[in-house]
């Protein structure tokens, strides 16, 4: 048998044989000794690891022993328990009712197991009931005491707990809510059995709604009456059966530990995070003895007296990265030499989630060295990128600014319209007239398009590198990127052609200008006047044309930005929701209007049809004297608002309220462990030395145990502790006990809480070496005088 449980064992503790014929008649007629191989084949087919034949109020030692022999054969069956399905009559306020209780016995004392059949020996093939077709509660308890074995009691509950219909016969809920509550809050039963997979969801909801997570453990049983159709109840059964997995060693103590902790019971085999980083074992050499201590993927605790090297072990496997004191390092080195001890296992820094050394957290909180931001920041999801939304806003604003600029250009063109003296002489010009009407092409639009294409292409290249993308999606992204590359080449070429044409035009303009300058030197006054007249005529015509063209482009611009929500990035961590978002939640035309109103004086409105530079200057709130132009001042003020609005922001939501500031101001050890338990983003092993140093015993019981159980399902934990709650009530997966023997030599024992062999029992080690360990174990294990 393994010494720790690394996976769940498929379990069925409710199977009937022909011994139930006094109640089930023909249904069980084929479930005989001769057909036991049929059951074994079906158990093997369904990979059942732990099982029990539990007949109605009767027991066959021979049948039990025959099935138990399969434990030693090459199959999946690891453990066969002796058991009985008792019919027990309970008193209620209205009338007595009978329920069925699957009762599993400790098999460690085979002589007492043999006596079960004798104690329950039937008369004429029928059980010795003391009430009609059942045992009274008193008789049932008396039988258990006569048998004298520890038991696990599982109450029959085939119907859904939340059902409003009449409870099914023999279900515990048939006794009424008051009696059910009495059983729940007295821990009368270790678990409650259901069969139909459809009821699983309803039962879980009932348990959650009534806050019964620790009180009501649900386990399935096939209630198989025909072995040939296992795991069906019989050949007429149509309900879907969900086999139960329990995390334990295949022994009675393991069954007790599993059945009394709901986290050890699942309907899937996985109890640990299969993708998490973990150590499989710790390799240690002490003198001439080699220890290869197996580790659970869950919670491993190291216990023992002070000064036996528990903290040393944690620091050494962490390659002493946490030790700053030379004195401590020298002390550890000396101890290793004295014990002739070598620790061969180390954890790489990349495989470590966190290491909280002894007293470190308490010291940091007490002395204010631990900043909330340092601990909180790793829990936030990726920062929300403002780029997409900011680009949409900026593009809309550029069109708005262009509309204002167009109005200003119109005003400028109107101002450039000028008067001049008209020469009416009808004579032929005796000089050459130079008309400067060559205008360079504007290339801003091309530049903007090229920049956008380049930006999109770069974003697609980055997106391709994301590991979560399917290969087919990567191909599609590459296709889009290649389209953009082609467009980039196309518009870059057009841009270059436009720039080349502008260069040519500039050469022509420069040549004409130089020639005109030289020519004018030799002109007569009359020629100069005539040339000036013609130039003025041409200039006026161009100005009038440009003014009309510009006027046609002046428009009453209205924002047309579609509403777009900005969803936050969220990460759930325990009871908190960590949120990365922006200072704004959406963009829209209304958002732009509000932004514009924030930079204008109260009551001022801006119309792109009527605005002038002077008007704009007078409208802007707190106009900056160093502004180049009013439009630049408007741009800069709006840009400052946008910069603030599009900044990333953090929130922590609990019960629909933002508690970021509250957590930051009142950060303490309890919140610290709460966050660690919910952390799933960062991988690695968590090492902690004596967590009980950081929080009160009451808080350990009420909060910390549940948080560590959650953490143990997500990642491997290595812990040193002296607190029994962190061992027994935490229901750890592995205990490593270090002690000095009579020869002053270090020894190491390990195993799951339920593990025992001829040399040691882990629960006894905890009881004898941890202060308060015995009482903690007794409270956990107490049931009809169950012992260690």
């Amino acid at each position: 048998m393994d010494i720790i449980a690394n996976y769940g064992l498929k379990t069925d503790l409710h199977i009937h044989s022909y011994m139930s014929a006094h109640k089930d008649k023909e249904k069980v007629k084929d479930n005989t000794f001769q057909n036991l191989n049929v059951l074994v084949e079906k158990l093997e087919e369904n990979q059942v690891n732990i099982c029990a034949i539990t007949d109605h109020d009767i027991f066959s030692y021979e049948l039990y022993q025959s099935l138990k022999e399969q434990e030693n054969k090459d199959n999946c069956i690891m453990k066969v328990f002796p058991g009985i399905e008792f019919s027990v009559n309970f008193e209620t306020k209205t009338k007595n009712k009978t329920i069925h209780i699957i009762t599993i016995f400790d098999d460690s004392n085979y002589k007492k197991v043999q006596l079960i059949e004798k104690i329950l020996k039937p008369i004429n093939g029928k059980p010795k009931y003391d009430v009609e077709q059942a045992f009274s509660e008193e008789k049932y308890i008396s039988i258990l005491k006569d048998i004298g074995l520890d038991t696990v009691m599982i109450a029959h509950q085939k119907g859904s707990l939340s059902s409003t219909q009449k409870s099914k016969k023999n279900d515990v809920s048939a006794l009424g809510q008051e009696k059910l509550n009495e059983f729940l809050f007295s821990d009368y039963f270790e678990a409650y059995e259901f069969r139909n997979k459809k009821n699983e969801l309803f039962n879980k909801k009932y348990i959650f709604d009534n806050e019964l997570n620790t009180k009501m453990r649900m386990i399935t049983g096939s209630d198989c009456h025909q072995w040939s159709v296992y795991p069906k109840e019989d050949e007429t059964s149509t309900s879907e059966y969900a086999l139960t997995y329990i995390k334990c060693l295949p022994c009675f103590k393991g069954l007790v530990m599993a059945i009394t902790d709901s986290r050890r019971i699942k309907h899937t085999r996985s109890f640990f995070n299969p993708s998490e980083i973990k150590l499989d074992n710790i390799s240690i050499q002490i003198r001439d003895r080699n220890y290869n201590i197996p580790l659970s993927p869950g919670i491993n605790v190291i216990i023992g007296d002070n000064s036996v090297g528990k903290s040393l072990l944690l620091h050494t496997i962490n390659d002493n990265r946490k030790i700053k004191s030379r004195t401590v390092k020298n002390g550890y080195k000396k101890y290793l030499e004295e014990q002739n001890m070598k620790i061969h296992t180390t954890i790489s820094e990349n495989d470590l989630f966190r290491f909280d050394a002894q007293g470190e957290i308490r010291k940091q909180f007490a002395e204010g060295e631990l900043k909330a931001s340092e601990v909180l920041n790793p829990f936030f999801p990726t920062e929300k990128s403002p780029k997409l939304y900011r680009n949409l806003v900026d593009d809309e604003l550029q069109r708005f600014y262009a509309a204002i600029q167009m109005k200003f250009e119109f005003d400028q063109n109107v101002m450039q319209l000028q008067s001049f003296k008209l020469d009416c002489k009808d004579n032929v010009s005796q000089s050459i007239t130079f008309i400067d009407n060559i205008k360079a092409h504007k290339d801003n639009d091309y530049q903007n398009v090229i920049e956008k294409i380049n930006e999109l292409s770069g974003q697609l290249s980055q997106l391709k590198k994301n590991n979560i993308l399917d290969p087919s999606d990567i191909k599609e992204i590459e296709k889009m990127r290649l389209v953009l590359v082609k467009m980039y080449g196309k518009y870059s070429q057009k841009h270059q052609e436009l720039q080349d044409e502008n260069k040519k035009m500039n050469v022509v303009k420069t040549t004409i200008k130089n020639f005109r300058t030289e020519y004018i030197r030799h002109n007569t006054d009359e020629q100069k006047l005539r040339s000036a007249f013609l130039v003025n005529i041409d200039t006026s015509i161009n100005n009038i044309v440009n003014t009309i063209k510009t006027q046609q482009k002046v428009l009453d611009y209205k924002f047309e930005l579609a509403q777009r929500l900005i969803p936050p990035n969220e990460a759930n961590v325990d009871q908190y929701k960590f949120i990365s978002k922006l200072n704004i939640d959406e963009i829209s035309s209304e958002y732009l209007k509000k932004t514009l109103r924030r930079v204008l004086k109260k009551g001022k409105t801006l119309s792109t049809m009527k605005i002038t530079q002077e008007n704009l200057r007078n409208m802007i709130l707190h106009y900056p004297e160093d502004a180049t132009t009013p439009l630049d001042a408007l741009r800069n003020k709006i840009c400052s608002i946008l910069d603030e609005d599009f900044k990333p922001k953090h929130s922590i939501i609990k019960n629909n309220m933002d508690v970021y500031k509250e957590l930051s101001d009142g950060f303490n050890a309890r919140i610290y462990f709460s966050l660690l338990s919910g952390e799933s983003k960062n991988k690695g092993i968590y090492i902690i030395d004596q967590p009980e140093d950081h929080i009160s015993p009451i808080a350990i019981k009420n909060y910390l145990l549940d948080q560590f159980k959650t953490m143990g399902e997500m990642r491997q934990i290595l812990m040193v502790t002296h607190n029994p709650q962190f061992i027994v009530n935490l229901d750890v997966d592995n205990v490593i006990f270090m002690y000095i023997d009579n020869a002053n030599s270090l020894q190491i024992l390990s195993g799951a809480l339920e593990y025992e062999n001829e040399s040691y029992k882990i629960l006894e080690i905890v009881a004898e070496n941890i202060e308060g360990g015995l009482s903690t174990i007794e409270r956990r294990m107490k049931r009809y005088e169950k012992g260690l």
Side-chain angles (χ1 to χ4, degrees):
M1 181 172 70
D2 294 332
I3 70 171
I4 55 175
N6 285 326
Y7 53 87
L9 301 179
K10 197 181 283 189
T11 303
D12 185 2
L13 303 175
H14 194 173
I15 302 171
H16 288 279
S17 79
Y18 75 99
M19 295 292 290
S20 291
H22 61 279
K23 277 201 173 182
D24 297 322
K25 306 293 188 289
E26 291 295 306
K27 285 176 70 175
V28 294
K29 64 182 177 63
D30 294 327
N31 300 349
T32 62
F33 284 102
Q34 293 77 14
N35 292 331
L36 191 62
N37 64 304
V38 174
L39 176 61
V40 172
E41 288 174 5
K42 286 293 183 180
L43 292 173
E44 177 71 19
E45 181 182 319
N46 288 275
Q47 290 296 291
V48 177
N49 309 117
I50 297 176
C51 61
I53 293 177
T54 46
D55 286 309
H56 290 292
D57 307 307
I58 204 164
F59 181 73
S60 167
Y61 179 79
E62 185 180 8
L63 187 59
Y64 155 72
Q65 192 60 37
S66 298
L67 183 58
K68 188 175 178 62
E69 288 174 2
Q70 297 297 320
E71 292 177 0
N72 302 317
K73 296 183 179 178
D74 185 20
N75 58 46
C76 62
I77 301 171
M78 299 180 183
K79 191 66 180 177
V80 177
F81 286 112
I84 300 167
E85 183 178 12
F86 280 100
S87 305
V88 183
N89 191 267
F90 286 88
E91 293 183 5
T92 66
K93 288 184 178 180
T94 54
K95 62 178 181 178
N96 292 2
K97 290 188 178 179
T98 297
I99 68 170
H100 288 171
I101 304 172
I102 300 295
T103 307
I104 305 299
F105 298 97
D106 184 358
D107 65 333
S108 57
N109 189 327
Y110 75 93
K111 289 185 178 179
K112 286 188 176 183
V113 174
Q114 285 179 315
L115 291 175
I116 297 175
E117 185 172 5
K118 183 178 180 181
I119 292 169
L120 286 171
K121 188 172 183 181
I123 299 175
N124 297 324
K126 294 185 178 181
K128 295 180 286 187
Y129 297 126
D130 62 329
V131 295
E132 186 179 354
Q133 296 298 305
F135 297 110
S136 65
E137 182 183 7
E138 293 78 9
K139 180 66 174 177
Y140 172 58
I141 294 173
S142 174
I143 291 171
L144 296 185
K145 286 186 175 180
D146 289 342
I147 292 172
L149 292 169
D150 290 341
T151 60
V152 165
M153 294 159 51
I154 304 169
H156 195 285
Q157 183 55 50
K158 295 296 181 69
S160 169
L161 285 161
S162 58
S163 175
T164 56
Q165 299 178 357
K166 184 179 179 181
S167 296
K168 291 188 177 182
K169 184 182 178 183
N170 306 131
D171 275 5
V172 68
S173 59
L175 298 174
Q177 190 64 49
E178 185 177 339
K179 195 67 176 177
L180 176 60
N181 289 341
E182 180 186 321
F183 287 145
L184 286 172
F185 291 98
S186 65
D187 274 340
Y188 195 99
F189 301 111
E190 273 78 13
Y192 295 79
E193 180 202 56
F194 74 99
R195 184 188 192 284
N196 193 332
K197 189 172 178 64
K198 292 180 180 178
N199 288 340
E200 179 185 356
L201 180 62
F202 296 110
N203 288 336
K204 284 184 175 179
K205 185 178 185 305
Y206 177 88
I207 291 169
F208 179 81
D209 290 345
N210 292 276
E211 298 181 352
L212 296 170
N213 300 54
T214 60
K215 294 292 183 183
M216 177 168 273
R217 282 81 59 184
M218 302 297 297
I219 187 170
T220 57
S222 67
D223 196 11
C224 179
H225 286 70
Q226 287 181 253
W227 293 347
S228 60
V229 296
Y230 181 88
K232 291 184 177 181
E233 183 175 345
D234 55 46
E235 60 187 1
T236 65
S237 176
T238 58
S239 63
E240 186 181 358
Y241 174 56
L243 279 158
T244 294
Y245 294 87
I246 60 175
K247 183 182 67 173
C248 69
L249 297 179
C251 61
F252 183 75
K253 272 198 181 76
L255 178 66
V256 173
M257 298 296 287
I259 295 296
T260 54
D261 188 328
S262 59
R263 289 181 183 261
R264 285 209 191 195
I265 306 170
K266 289 191 178 182
H267 300 294
T268 59
R269 189 180 289 274
S270 176
F271 286 84
F272 306 105
N273 185 351
S275 64
E276 188 51 81
I277 296 164
K278 65 181 185 299
L279 287 178
D280 292 325
N281 53 64
I282 297 176
S283 177
I284 302 175
Q285 181 181 341
I286 304 176
R287 293 182 169 82
D288 57 351
R289 183 171 182 180
N290 291 314
Y291 291 91
N292 200 35
I293 306 164
L295 295 180
S296 166
I299 304 175
N300 304 266
V301 298
I302 304 169
I303 65 172
D305 292 334
N306 291 325
S307 303
V308 295
K310 303 186 299 296
S311 296
L312 176 152
L313 177 59
L314 293 184
H315 282 287
T316 304
I317 62 177
N318 188 47
D319 205 18
N320 292 323
R321 285 185 289 264
K322 290 285 287 189
I323 300 178
K324 307 299 181 186
S325 168
R326 184 181 297 274
T327 302
V328 174
K329 283 185 179 181
N330 290 337
Y332 282 171
K333 183 179 179 181
K334 182 179 178 182
Y335 183 82
L336 290 170
E337 291 172 351
E338 289 173 352
Q339 292 296 330
N340 195 6
M341 179 179 176
K342 294 180 181 178
I343 300 171
H344 300 296
T345 302
T346 56
I347 302 173
S348 74
E349 194 167 4
N350 291 335
D351 290 344
L352 185 69
F353 167 63
R354 196 179 296 269
F355 188 153
D356 289 323
Q358 182 180 356
E360 182 179 15
I361 297 175
R362 181 178 59 187
K363 182 174 181 290
Q364 288 176 326
F365 282 121
E367 299 180 7
E369 294 179 6
L370 189 64
K371 294 180 180 178
S373 59
E374 293 177 5
V375 181
L376 294 175
N377 284 345
F379 295 101
F380 285 101
T382 306
E383 276 198 351
K384 188 70 182 179
S385 172
K387 199 165 190 178
L388 168 64
Y389 310 98
R390 180 66 184 267
N391 285 345
L392 291 172
V393 168
D394 284 343
D395 287 347
E396 183 67 18
L397 284 171
Q398 289 309 317
R399 288 187 281 273
F400 173 64
Y401 299 144
I404 296 175
Q405 183 62 42
M406 187 58 65
K407 175 58 169 59
F408 291 169
E409 286 184 16
F410 170 72
D411 293 343
Q412 186 67 26
N413 285 340
V414 170
M415 290 177 64
Q416 287 178 351
L417 294 176
Q418 59 185 356
S419 62
F420 58 92
K421 185 177 180 181
L422 192 61
D423 185 0
C424 298
K425 291 181 181 180
D426 187 12
N427 57 3
V428 179
S429 174
Q430 298 177 4
S431 67
I432 300 173
T433 301
F434 298 90
I435 307 299
D436 184 11
N437 61 1
I438 300 174
K439 301 290 184 182
H441 299 295
K442 293 182 179 179
D443 63 353
N444 291 347
D445 290 341
Y446 279 109
Q447 286 178 339
N448 288 337
V449 167
I450 291 168
E451 286 175 7
K452 290 288 184 185
I453 292 172
N454 205 23
E455 182 181 327
L456 287 172
S457 181
Q459 289 176 349
L460 289 175
S461 295
Q462 286 298 113
L463 182 61
K464 268 181 60 181
K465 297 176 183 178
N466 199 311
N467 294 330
I468 68 169
L469 291 177
D470 293 334
S472 59
D473 292 330
I474 293 175
K475 287 182 179 178
E476 292 300 318
I477 291 171
E478 180 59 17
K479 286 180 184 178
M480 288 186 273
R481 196 188 70 81
L482 291 174
V483 169
L484 288 173
V485 169
K486 188 175 180 181
M487 288 174 62
Y488 180 83
K490 173 182 175 181
Y491 289 100
S492 293
Q493 183 179 350
K494 287 190 174 186
H495 185 218
Q496 186 61 49
E497 289 171 356
L498 184 143
Q499 287 181 319
D500 291 344
E501 189 173 342
N502 281 343
K503 287 178 182 178
K504 293 174 184 177
M505 291 167 67
N506 188 55
V507 170
V508 172
K509 284 182 68 174
T510 303
T511 303
I512 292 174
K513 180 182 176 183
N514 292 337
F515 185 78
R516 179 175 179 270
T517 302
E518 185 62 28
Y519 180 79
I520 287 174
R521 291 178 187 168
H522 305 286
N523 275 2
T524 65
D525 290 342
E526 185 178 352
Q527 288 174 325
K528 289 178 182 179
L529 287 171
R530 183 62 178 172
S531 293
F533 170 76
L534 293 174
V535 168
N536 286 335
I537 287 288
D538 189 76
T539 301
S540 296
I541 292 170
N542 285 331
N543 285 344
I544 292 169
V545 170
N546 287 335
T547 301
I548 294 171
K549 286 182 177 179
T550 308
Q551 185 182 33
Q552 291 172 342
K553 293 180 182 178
V554 173
L555 53 86
D556 186 12
Y557 191 87
K558 305 294 184 185
F559 291 123
E560 294 182 355
L561 181 61
Q563 184 184 35
R564 186 160 186 162
L565 299 178
I566 306 175
N569 295 335
E570 299 179 353
N572 291 310
V573 182
D574 193 47
Q575 57 191 311
Y576 303 100
K577 183 179 287 185
F578 279 69
I579 294 176
S580 294
K581 58 180 184 178
L582 304 181
N583 276 324
I584 53 170
D585 300 321
E586 66 174 58
I587 56 172
S588 64
S589 294
E590 189 58 36
Y591 165 72
L592 290 176
K593 291 176 187 176
K594 289 179 180 178
T595 302
L596 181 59
R597 286 197 291 270
R598 289 171 65 184
V599 302
L600 300 181
K601 293 177 181 177
K602 189 174 181 180
K604 298 293 184 180
T605 57
L606 193 158
S607 167
T608 55
M609 290 283 289
K610 302 175 181 178
I611 192 68
T612 67
Q613 297 222 37
E614 190 61 30
N615 290 153
L616 183 57
R617 179 190 295 273
N618 294 330
M619 282 183 183
I620 294 173
L621 184 65
H622 304 306
Y623 187 85
E625 294 302 323
D626 60 345
T628 307
T629 66
L631 185 54
D632 284 339
L634 182 70
R635 279 198 185 99
N636 293 337
K637 279 185 168 287
I638 289 177
C639 186
S640 295
I641 292 174
L642 297 183
D643 288 345
E644 189 62 33
D645 284 351
F646 283 93
K647 275 184 181 177
K649 179 183 178 182
H650 284 160
S651 291
I652 302 175
I653 305 300
K654 179 184 179 185
N655 299 329
N656 296 321
M657 294 182 65
D658 191 342
V659 295
Y660 182 72
K661 189 174 188 308
E662 178 187 333
L663 254 62
S664 299
D665 293 345
F667 201 73
N668 56 38
R670 182 176 141 192
I671 295 171
Y672 175 76
F673 287 120
S674 175
L675 295 178
L676 288 191
S677 70
E679 162 68 299
S680 58
K681 183 175 66 172
N682 296 311
K683 301 290 184 182
I685 301 164
Y686 180 42
I687 300 177
I688 182 166
D689 195 344
Q690 299 184 46
E692 62 267 26
D693 287 354
H694 309 303
I695 198 163
S696 70
I698 293 175
I700 290 174
K701 178 182 177 182
N702 293 338
Y703 304 104
L704 224 59
L705 294 182
D706 192 58
Q707 291 164 1
F708 268 85
K709 285 180 181 181
T710 300
M711 209 186 316
E713 292 177 1
M714 294 301 300
R715 71 179 75 254
Q716 188 177 59
I717 299 174
L718 302 181
M719 176 198 306
V720 166
T721 185
H722 295 281
N723 189 302
Q725 288 195 79
F726 275 111
I727 305 169
V728 181
N729 292 344
L730 183 55
D731 197 32
V732 298
D733 301 295
N734 186 29
V735 176
I736 300 169
F737 175 53
M738 301 174 67
Y739 69 101
I740 302 295
D741 64 13
N742 294 331
N744 201 33
S745 178
L746 179 64
Q747 303 290 335
I748 302 176
L749 305 174
S750 70
L753 283 168
E754 62 263 31
Y755 179 72
E756 56 186 52
N757 58 29
E758 294 179 357
S759 303
Y760 64 92
K761 300 177 181 180
I762 292 296
L763 283 174
E764 282 188 355
I765 288 174
V766 174
E768 293 169 2
N769 293 277
I770 298 293
E771 185 178 351
L774 179 59
S775 59
T776 305
I777 293 169
E778 287 176 341
R779 284 193 297 271
R780 169 74 190 274
M781 302 292 288
K782 187 73 173 175
R783 178 78 73 243
Y784 294 108
E785 299 181 352
K786 291 183 176 72
L788 296 179

